[in-house]
Amino acid sequence: METSLHWHRTSIIKDLSFFLLVLESLLLFLSLPNCCFAQLKRDYYRDSCPNVESIVRNAVEKKLQETFVTAPATLRLFFHDCFIQGCDASVILASPSGDAEKDAPDDLSLAGDGFDTVIRAKAAVDSVPGCKNNVSCADILALATRDVIVLSGGPNYDVELGRRDGRQSTKASVDHHLPLANFSYKNLEDMFASHGLSQVDLIALSGAHTIGFSHCSQFSKRIYDFSNKSSIDPTLDQEYARQLQQACPRNVDPRIAVPMDPTTPLKFDNEFYKNLLQGKALLASDQALLATRKSRRVVTAFASNSSLFEQVFVASITRLGRVGVKTGNQGEIRRDCRMVN
Ligand code: HEM
Ligand SMILES: *[C@@H]1O[C@H](CO)[C@@H](O)[C@H](O)[C@H]1NC(C)=O
Ligand SMILES: *[C@@H]1O[C@H](CO)[C@@H](O)[C@H](O)[C@H]1NC(C)=O
Ligand SMILES: *[C@@H]1O[C@H](CO)[C@@H](O)[C@H](O)[C@H]1NC(C)=O
């Protein structure tokens, strides 16, 4: 009786503190548009390109029918763009001299299909006379990101618009500004915090690893050279580790990539968190999301309640889409997403 009561009491306290955590995250989401980010608006193109959403959606749909990689490639491109000089499509700028963002080591694995999605959607937008040269590449990337999430089975949401395109893209600006697969929880937390993103944002946005692929080099240490005590990371499910060794033999072709979500790799869902709790997170940085009591509680909640995950993910990706945005007279609306005007 005593133990069961005790258990009950701590569990209520836990639920309450988790509830407050999520509430805090959602309240922040609701309050920010009135406070600091009034520049972005849902209906920004109401007069200058009223059908922009359906034009982009159609272009993305077509591209996705050609290859599924469109979805993870676009989603990751958005993330990398926002973390470097804000969400300003600077990552898409071509590289005449090998010194652009996309030339940085951490961006070399960005799949070409993400870039292609934006180029094609921009062409579709510009083929509508009233819209020509009126919609920024940064906004097209934000819309295309929402579209690939929806088309992969994820939540639908309104995208805030009004970003202007950046004019600068340098390789050096990427150094030490993107998270790596071997980051600790503290490293991840600090880097997200530097963009005004919370631990809940970090955990929700990492759920993007529910789709897409990773090259073997990103996790080979976990299955071959973990430590002097054990070659396999003990936090990995041993059966899963053996499967990974088969897919990624030592000295594997560096182009080989494996799904990051081993159960539903093509579906945007909360399986990432269920896998994580079962030792089936591919990257050490994903495994690191279990590092603290607080973070474990969030992971567990997302694993057990997919609508909670979707709700928080939408709030978090909306906040990601506000990072460092250029608005008003800043930047420009690029005519060609690969070149400054
Ligand atoms: C939290 C820190 C993060 C780290 C350390 C990380 C790291 C990585 C790594 C190493 C890969 C594999 C790349 C490759 O081998 O080609 C990857 C893939 C991917 N990441 Fe992340 N990532 C993080 C957060 C995010 C976020 C916030 C998003 C989006 C909201 C995201 C979206 C993706 C997607 C969709 C892929 C698959 C790409 C594809 O299949 O082409 N990641 N990430
Ligand atoms: C762009 O939007 C404005 C309204 O903001 C509109 O007058 C114009 O026709 C649109 N197209 C071009 C090419 O400027
Ligand atoms: C993390 O990985 C990067 C390369 O991706 C490497 O340069 C760095 O040394 C690694 N850090 C640690 C602590 O292993
Ligand atoms: C799951 O999360 C949703 C959305 O936040 C919430 O309304 C619902 O009560 C939760 N369901 C359970 C079973 O906890």
Side-chain angles (χ1 to χ4, degrees):
M1 194 61 182
E2 173 60 27
T3 33
S4 113
L5 259 180
H6 176 74
W7 181 85
H8 203 70
R9 198 172 337 127
T10 48
S11 122
I12 287 171
I13 292 168
K14 271 189 189 163
D15 286 354
L16 189 67
S17 71
F18 174 71
F19 174 75
L20 290 175
L21 194 78
V22 171
L23 191 72
E24 180 189 286
S25 153
L26 292 175
L27 283 178
L28 198 66
F29 171 57
L30 294 174
S31 67
L32 280 177
N34 310 324
C35 147
C36 318
F37 298 89
Q39 307 98 316
L40 296 183
K41 297 200 306 212
R42 306 254 150 102
D43 60 353
Y44 186 82
Y45 294 106
R46 194 184 53 197
D47 300 324
S48 56
C49 184
N51 295 326
V52 65
E53 305 226 0
S54 59
I55 300 167
V56 172
R57 173 67 61 94
N58 285 333
V60 171
E61 231 161 351
K62 257 192 217 133
K63 171 78 190 160
L64 195 65
Q65 277 161 13
E66 288 172 24
T67 170
F68 177 76
V69 177
T70 299
T74 304
L75 179 52
R76 186 167 184 236
L77 187 64
F78 181 62
F79 169 52
H80 283 219
D81 183 40
C82 293
F83 263 38
I84 308 300
Q85 307 183 57
C87 314
D88 66 350
S90 52
V91 70
I92 297 171
L93 284 170
S95 153
S97 53
D99 187 36
E101 264 177 60
K102 63 193 316 218
D103 298 310
D106 298 336
D107 277 343
L108 287 176
S109 63
L110 289 171
D113 290 305
F115 298 85
D116 194 38
T117 299
V118 178
I119 307 289
R120 287 215 217 167
K122 173 77 167 172
V125 168
D126 281 354
S127 72
V128 174
C131 296
K132 193 171 165 59
N133 300 334
N134 267 357
V135 182
S136 70
C137 301
D139 279 345
I140 288 175
L141 177 54
L143 286 168
T145 297
R146 185 267 315 272
D147 292 343
V148 297
I149 289 169
V150 172
L151 294 168
S152 311
N156 196 6
Y157 58 95
D158 290 326
V159 178
E160 296 178 341
L161 299 166
R163 298 170 190 80
R164 308 262 297 178
D165 297 325
R167 291 199 188 93
Q168 278 171 6
S169 170
T170 66
K171 195 173 166 178
S173 64
V174 182
D175 287 346
H176 311 296
H177 288 95
L178 285 171
L180 299 177
N182 58 10
F183 267 26
S184 68
Y185 188 73
K186 182 77 171 72
N187 295 154
L188 294 169
E189 184 190 343
D190 288 349
M191 188 170 276
F192 275 65
S194 74
H195 295 292
L197 298 170
S198 70
Q199 295 183 57
V200 174
D201 292 327
L202 160 65
I203 298 165
L205 289 168
S206 295
H209 291 168
T210 175
I211 56 171
F213 306 87
S214 169
H215 293 88
C216 297
S217 58
Q218 297 291 347
F219 56 85
S220 59
K221 190 165 189 279
R222 299 188 77 199
I223 54 174
Y224 289 119
D225 311 299
F226 186 68
S227 70
N228 49 19
K229 285 207 184 103
S230 141
S231 62
I232 298 181
D233 183 339
T235 60
L236 271 177
D237 174 84
Q238 297 300 295
E239 177 59 30
Y240 180 52
R242 270 191 295 277
Q243 287 167 5
L244 291 175
Q245 286 177 335
Q246 272 172 8
C248 296
R250 276 187 195 274
N251 305 317
V252 68
D253 179 337
R255 289 167 303 184
I256 299 290
V258 305
M260 301 214 280
D261 171 352
T263 51
T264 56
L266 309 184
K267 199 162 182 297
F268 191 101
D269 55 19
N270 68 338
E271 283 293 306
F272 170 80
Y273 303 99
K274 296 183 196 172
N275 295 333
L276 179 49
L277 292 173
Q278 293 170 28
K280 294 176 187 168
L282 189 55
L283 307 178
S285 54
D286 295 331
Q287 177 66 33
L289 300 178
L290 295 176
T292 73
R293 262 163 43 112
K294 179 176 164 176
S295 67
R296 274 200 301 278
R297 206 170 293 150
V298 177
V299 169
T300 308
F302 289 168
S304 61
N305 187 338
S306 68
S307 50
L308 176 71
F309 162 59
E310 291 193 342
Q311 198 178 346
V312 178
F313 181 85
V314 164
S316 295
I317 198 156
T318 300
R319 268 197 289 277
L320 175 63
R322 293 173 186 156
V323 169
V325 291
K326 300 170 175 68
T327 56
N329 297 325
Q330 299 170 312
E332 62 186 13
I333 291 178
R334 249 177 251 154
R335 281 190 292 272
D336 178 338
C337 292
R338 288 161 294 196
M339 280 181 280
V340 296
N341 290 344

